[in-house]
């Protein structure tokens, strides 16, 4: 035994994470399979209770919460059990509304030092944020996670539950309700605060704490409203062009990989296009 921050509400006008595509990806399908179907990869902040109350559409094997298809989801909770197998690490987390099992698949390329660090960090009793996909086997729901991060600031837990409430209310009331748009024509970000006038990237001071200059610059570009509004996000070549020699190409590519590993970005149409999980 042994013993994760960000996720998205919708940009009310185009893009964002809550609106679902016409043809959703199958639960548990690989990113490549999902992209091949032309689906829009969305991200929902949920509680365990919401997951268990979700419904399965028999026609497309797609889970829905608030009548919206689920693709990528994020949860926050405390690890209450942890086990290691040759091919994966398994956990059970409790978020106060229920418990759910998680699987984090490992590969032979994982170094022993990296695995030892995971065992030390992902231990029973710690709070974590996970990103992953929902699966069901014999009517038992579980998650396959691709990102698991330890929470060091308990405000993260409060933020997550507020985000779940915000997304649920937004979907339940509909996106065309008067007053759903933030005042002054601004859009609403994941924390529910005004993100500023259209065309301005969020400051992200808390989100980028501890990042290097190249990582911060890449984060700002991927979180620009124009890139967040596009289903495909931004291509790495676009980021390189916008930075215009400020950083080396290898450093920019490494920064994008870092942001993916830390749960700030996910790939969209291919492995060279990314979209922020923070918008």
């Amino acid at each position: 035994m042994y013993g994760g921050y960000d996720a998205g509400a919708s940009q009310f006008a185009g893009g964002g994470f809550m609106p679902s595509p016409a043809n959703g990806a199958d639960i548990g399908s690989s990113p490549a399979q999902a992209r091949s179907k032309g689906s829009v990869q969305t991200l929902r902040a949920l509680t365990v209770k919401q997951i268990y109350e979700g419904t399965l559409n028999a026609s497309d094997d797609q889970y829905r919460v608030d009548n919206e298809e689920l693709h990528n989801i994020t949860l926050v909770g405390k690890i209450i059990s942890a086990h290691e197998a040759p091919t994966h690490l398994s956990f059970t987390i409790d978020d106060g509304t229920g418990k759910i099992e998680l699987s984090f698949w490992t590969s032979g390329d994982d170094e022993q030092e990296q695995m030892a660090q995971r065992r030390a960090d992902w231990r029973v009793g710690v709070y974590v944020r996970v990103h992953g996909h929902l699966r069901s086997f014999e009517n038992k729901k579980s998650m396959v996670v691709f990102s698991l991060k330890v929470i060091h600031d308990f405000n993260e837990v409060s933020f997550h539950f507020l985000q779940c409430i915000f997304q649920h209310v937004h979907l339940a009331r509909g996106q065309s309700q008067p007053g759903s748009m933030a005042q002054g024509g601004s859009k609403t970000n994941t924390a529910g605060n005004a993100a500023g006038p259209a065309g301005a990237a969020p400051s992200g001071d808390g989100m980028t704490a501890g990042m290097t200059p190249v990582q911060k610059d890449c984060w700002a570009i991927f979180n620009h409203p124009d890139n967040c509004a596009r289903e495909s996000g931004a291509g790495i070549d676009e980021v390189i062009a916008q930075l215009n020699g400020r950083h080396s190409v290898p450093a920019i590519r490494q920064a994008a990989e870092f942001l993916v590993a830390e749960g700030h970005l996910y790939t969209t149409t291919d492995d060279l296009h990314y979209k922020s999980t923070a918008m």
Side-chain angles (χ1 to χ4, degrees):
M1 282 194 173
Y2 60 90
Y5 172 145
D6 19 80
S10 169
Q11 292 294 316
F12 290 100
F17 295 100
M18 290 190 291
S20 62
N23 296 309
D26 292 338
I27 291 295
S29 62
S30 69
Q33 290 172 322
R35 287 193 294 269
S36 69
K37 294 184 180 183
S39 63
V40 178
Q41 292 296 292
T42 61
L43 179 66
R44 279 290 305 274
L46 296 172
T47 65
V48 175
K49 183 174 184 289
Q50 285 179 295
I51 289 177
Y52 286 136
E53 290 179 345
T55 58
L56 176 63
N57 189 321
S59 64
D60 58 8
D61 289 329
Q62 189 75 38
Y63 275 102
R64 287 175 170 80
V65 172
D66 297 321
N67 203 34
E68 289 289 325
E69 294 178 354
L70 296 182
H71 300 98
N72 300 314
I73 62 177
T74 180
L75 297 176
V76 164
K78 182 171 70 173
I79 297 177
I80 60 173
S81 71
H83 303 275
E84 182 176 359
T87 57
H88 68 281
L89 310 177
S90 62
F91 309 90
T92 300
I93 66 168
D94 187 339
D95 71 349
T97 71
K99 303 172 185 178
I100 192 168
E101 294 183 2
L102 317 174
S103 296
F104 181 90
W105 294 89
T106 58
S107 68
D109 296 332
D110 292 330
E111 298 180 0
Q112 291 185 354
E113 183 178 343
Q114 184 182 36
M115 289 298 297
Q117 186 63 48
R118 286 172 176 168
R119 294 188 192 99
D121 292 341
W122 302 349
R123 62 189 185 278
V124 173
V126 302
Y127 280 82
V128 293
R129 175 181 286 280
V130 300
H131 293 80
H133 310 292
L134 183 63
R135 281 196 173 170
S136 179
F137 180 70
E138 295 182 345
N139 295 322
K140 183 179 180 181
K141 295 177 182 177
S142 63
M143 272 186 71
V144 175
V145 302
F146 51 79
S147 173
L148 190 154
K149 294 184 63 180
V150 176
I151 292 175
H152 299 288
D153 183 351
F154 201 77
N155 287 324
E156 173 85 11
V157 179
S158 302
F159 162 80
H160 176 78
F161 282 103
L162 290 172
Q163 188 175 34
C164 292
I165 295 169
F166 170 76
Q167 292 185 350
H168 167 69
V169 172
H170 172 66
L171 289 169
R173 292 183 177 178
Q175 300 184 31
S176 61
Q177 286 277 350
S180 63
M181 194 82 152
Q183 293 297 319
S186 62
K187 296 180 180 181
T188 301
N189 65 13
T190 58
N193 300 321
S203 63
D205 293 339
M207 303 282 282
T208 58
M211 290 187 189
T212 64
V214 62
Q215 291 165 356
K216 290 181 179 180
D217 288 345
C218 289
W219 185 93
I221 291 175
F222 284 116
N223 281 274
H224 192 281
D226 288 347
N227 293 327
C228 290
R230 291 157 55 187
E231 294 180 357
S232 60
I236 192 67
D237 290 338
E238 298 174 62
V239 176
I240 293 171
Q242 289 185 46
L243 289 175
N244 195 27
R246 190 181 310 169
H247 307 287
S248 68
V249 172
I252 294 171
R253 294 185 184 277
Q254 290 174 5
E257 293 174 358
F258 166 84
L259 294 172
V260 171
E262 291 297 305
H264 295 287
L265 302 177
Y266 64 96
T267 55
T268 56
T269 55
D270 55 38
D271 292 335
L272 297 177
H273 285 78
Y274 306 91
K275 195 166 183 179
S276 172
T277 61
M279 297 293 288

